[in-house]
Amino acid sequence: MGLEGMLATTTLAEEILELKRERRAIILAHVYQEAEIQDLADCVGDSLELARKARDFEGEVIAFCGVWFMAETAKVLNPARVVVVPDREAGCSLVDSCPVEAVRAYRREHPDHVIVSYINTSVEVKAESDILCTSRNAVQVVNSIPPEKTILFLPDRNLGLWVQKQTGRANMKIWQGACIVHATFAARRLAAERGQHPAALVAAHPECPPEVLDQADFIGSTTAIIKYCAEAPAEEFIVMTESGVAHPLSKLAPRRRFYFIPNEACNCSECPYMKRNTLEKLRDCLRTLQPRVELTDEVIRGALAPLQRMLALG
């Protein structure tokens, strides 16, 4: 970036920080966001960390730099506060794979089953669920459910299969949704990368396909992957998740080398939804307080109960 570009970015960043002060706002950013957004945020983390931060916030405006379902979760936890997102079209393939009408139909047919919903679902699906989970606590959540109960785990099939393997739950039905980034990582590409970097350890997100996870030295949530790569006794890592984590890794472990493998869908390691947010859009949403998350009291009450059950597990 040239001098002119750097000055423009600095001016824009300063404008955002001034708007944040005026609005008594907090900026929350998922680790898949662009580096310049992460650097401006008050908190950078995964879905669970950001949910907790939103719950404990005491200001007036939450600017959520992530995808729409994450901002919905923040609104459920903070119904009296304004929650905005830089880009309304920042969606999620997992949300799209799990329409609420289908979940309601399943609930009617199986009223005695326990619905465990990954946080990557719409707020309406959350309201139909018994308890929520993230990739970090999914095993803990499933283990908290009485063993005689049949579970519907939705919507990510790869995460569900991994959780089922970790918990040994035979009576667990799994929705067939998938993340457009993680689900298209190919085992053959990982094997080829390992051949080029035989000393590298492999850290993978559980949304990856089973044949990718079979090659991993470590499987965990986004935050867990970052921690592992910063602390494990190795100098090279193959990282099987969205490449936004490269930014915090470069800060925590600047002398280590990290390799991100392009997936089959876009030949990249980026989430197109996460990358819709920009500094310009962040400034504009703080200025206009739009796009704003608006939820009915009924939906908030319905989604809050399973969300609180998850948070109560610690």
Side-chain angles (χ1 to χ4, degrees):
M1 182 184 296
L3 178 59
E4 181 179 343
M6 287 189 289
L7 289 173
T9 301
T10 301
T11 302
L12 183 56
E14 290 175 346
E15 188 176 355
I16 290 168
L17 292 176
E18 178 61 21
L19 283 165
K20 186 186 80 166
R21 185 191 64 79
E22 292 174 359
R23 295 292 194 187
R24 295 191 66 241
I26 188 173
I27 299 173
L28 304 181
H30 194 276
V31 289
Y32 296 166
Q33 293 294 287
E34 297 284 10
E36 58 264 27
I37 291 179
Q38 293 190 42
D39 287 341
L40 278 181
D42 298 286
C43 178
V44 179
D46 61 17
S47 298
L48 183 56
E49 287 173 307
L50 297 177
R52 287 174 173 156
K53 194 70 175 180
R55 176 192 60 187
D56 300 335
F57 175 57
E58 296 181 353
E60 295 180 3
V61 175
I62 298 173
F64 210 117
C65 299
V67 292
W68 191 257
F69 78 80
M70 297 178 181
E72 288 178 330
T73 303
K75 183 65 176 179
V76 169
L77 291 166
N78 299 270
R81 294 187 174 87
V82 173
V83 179
V84 293
V85 179
D87 192 315
R88 177 62 182 90
E89 300 305 312
C92 176
S93 60
L94 284 167
V95 172
D96 295 341
S97 74
C98 190
V100 67
E101 294 82 5
V103 178
R104 286 171 180 157
Y106 184 94
R107 172 70 83 188
R108 288 193 296 269
E109 293 175 14
H110 307 282
D112 58 327
H113 290 188
V114 177
I115 297 181
V116 177
S117 290
Y118 192 25
I119 204 162
N120 296 44
T121 48
S122 70
V123 69
E124 291 83 8
V125 168
K126 289 178 174 70
E128 297 295 327
S129 307
D130 294 292
I131 190 169
L132 306 183
C133 72
T134 69
S135 55
R136 197 192 321 186
N137 64 15
V139 170
Q140 180 187 10
V141 167
V142 168
N143 279 334
S144 74
I145 297 167
E148 68 275 11
K149 289 286 190 179
T150 298
I151 293 172
L152 172 64
F153 187 96
L154 55 85
D156 190 282
R157 62 175 179 264
N158 291 329
L159 176 61
L161 288 170
W162 180 74
V163 170
Q164 187 174 43
K165 183 177 180 180
Q166 300 302 306
T167 61
R169 294 289 294 242
N171 56 342
M172 183 169 153
K173 301 178 183 295
I174 300 171
W175 203 269
Q176 293 301 298
C179 168
I180 59 173
V181 178
H182 294 95
T184 55
F185 283 129
R188 61 178 179 79
R189 287 192 172 187
L190 173 55
E193 193 76 10
R194 294 188 75 181
Q196 294 181 26
H197 307 286
L201 296 178
V202 178
H205 195 283
E207 290 178 18
C208 294
E211 58 271 21
V212 168
L213 299 181
D214 287 344
Q215 297 186 49
D217 298 289
F218 177 81
I219 300 168
S221 69
T222 308
T223 295
I225 286 174
I226 292 170
K227 186 174 187 295
Y228 173 79
C229 290
E231 297 178 358
E235 296 303 316
E236 296 180 294
F237 295 85
I238 300 170
V239 185
M240 306 299 291
T241 192
E242 216 271 357
S243 55
V245 303
H247 186 57
L249 284 172
S250 68
K251 293 182 175 182
L252 290 169
R255 292 181 176 83
R256 296 186 170 192
R257 292 182 294 279
F258 303 101
Y259 309 110
F260 291 84
I261 300 177
N263 61 31
E264 301 283 77
C266 64
N267 203 35
C268 67
S269 301
E270 293 188 349
C271 173
Y273 297 113
M274 287 283 186
K275 298 308 194 252
R276 290 188 66 90
N277 296 318
T278 63
L279 287 183
E280 289 82 3
K281 293 175 183 178
L282 174 57
R283 175 202 58 200
D284 293 345
C285 82
L286 284 169
R287 180 185 288 162
T288 66
L289 299 183
Q290 296 291 340
R292 186 183 305 198
V293 179
E294 302 282 8
L295 303 174
T296 66
D297 291 343
E298 181 182 6
V299 167
I300 288 174
R301 285 193 301 270
L304 183 59
L307 181 55
Q308 287 179 325
R309 290 185 193 112
M310 177 191 75
L311 294 173
L313 290 177

